[in-house]
Amino acid sequence: MTNKGPQCCPLRRLVPWLLPVLWLLLIFALSSMPIPVSRLKFFRHQDKLVHFIEYGVLGLLLVRAAYQSTVRRRRNYWLCLLVAVLYGLSDEFHQMFVPHRTADIWDLMADSAGAFAFAWTWLALKGQRLFGRARAVLESESTIGPE
């Protein structure tokens, strides 16, 4: 009898991380393009919406990969969000050196908010929490009444 668990095939634990890594590469490629932002604007603050969605997808992909490949711990989800925020920070720093691009603290705020909002929503739909105590603890306490 063979064991097909995570100990048997460590590469299987890496597969969920492929999509987030590809998304990180896409973000880097897009932020490396020296395109004047004014040419791409259709409405005011459009770039903030783009950052929100772009990093929202990143946050979702990261927590999804953690959900699929590791023990489901809240700490792992927070680490994924930290990675998304730090990548946003490095992306803004990188844009300082790209012609026609600038670093903007408000872009970083939109990146962080998007990563958090998408990740939190996805985790909530999966019954996972970023805040508060675990659901099982709350349910067990509610069944124990005063004696």
Side-chain angles (χ1 to χ4, degrees), residues 13-147:
R13 290 179 25 189
L14 295 177
V15 170
W17 297 99
L18 181 61
L19 201 51
V21 168
L22 291 174
W23 191 257
L24 289 167
L25 292 172
L26 177 65
I27 290 172
F28 183 80
L30 292 173
S31 70
S32 297
M33 293 180 173
I35 301 170
V37 176
S38 60
R39 288 188 184 179
L40 301 175
K41 277 195 173 182
F42 296 108
F43 57 90
R44 190 173 182 197
H45 303 300
Q46 170 188 324
D47 62 320
K48 305 306 179 255
L49 178 62
V50 169
H51 277 267
F52 183 84
I53 293 170
E54 179 180 39
Y55 279 82
V57 171
L58 176 61
L60 184 149
L61 291 174
L62 287 170
V63 297
R64 180 178 164 264
Y67 179 87
Q68 292 177 343
S69 66
T70 63
V71 176
R72 295 178 184 151
R73 292 192 179 129
R74 194 175 322 169
R75 178 188 69 211
N76 295 339
Y77 304 137
W78 282 108
L79 286 173
C80 289
L81 290 172
L82 179 63
V83 166
V85 170
L86 291 175
Y87 194 77
L89 181 64
S90 71
D91 184 43
E92 291 305 313
F93 179 75
H94 166 247
Q95 287 185 19
M96 290 173 32
F97 304 101
V98 177
H100 305 292
R101 304 300 285 269
T102 59
D104 183 3
I105 188 70
W106 294 108
D107 286 347
L108 179 61
M109 295 298 190
D111 298 343
S112 303
F116 177 80
F118 279 52
W120 180 77
T121 302
W122 189 86
L123 288 169
L125 291 172
K126 290 293 186 180
Q128 301 290 304
R129 294 175 178 232
L130 282 175
F131 300 106
R133 294 189 294 174
R135 182 174 287 155
V137 172
L138 292 174
E139 290 171 357
S140 68
E141 287 179 356
S142 66
T143 58
I144 301 172
E147 294 181 13

